[in-house]
Amino acid sequence: MSGAVADRVLLAHWNADINDREGADVQWGIQRADLEARRFDRTFSTAYGNP
């Protein structure tokens, strides 16, 4: 797995519009090589919350 940001691809981005969670943000990504190989079992996610 490469640590280079250029080797990562954003699959989806969700900005939750939920009452009392307006600052919530979730992103799903994958390494470019894994995307080319269709290895979706190797995706990763990040979440951000600003209360």
Side-chain angles (χ1 to χ4, degrees):
M1 180 186 293
S2 171
V5 174
D7 291 336
R8 298 178 185 169
V9 178
L10 180 66
L11 291 174
H13 176 224
W14 178 47
N15 187 338
D17 186 18
I18 302 170
N19 289 339
D20 298 326
R21 301 279 187 232
E22 288 81 7
D25 196 59
V26 182
Q27 300 170 349
W28 291 268
I30 191 169
Q31 292 281 314
R32 190 172 305 278
D34 291 336
L35 179 61
E36 291 169 356
R38 298 182 181 184
R39 293 287 316 263
F40 293 102
D41 60 316
R42 298 185 60 169
T43 61
F44 56 89
S45 63
T46 59
Y48 173 79
N50 186 10

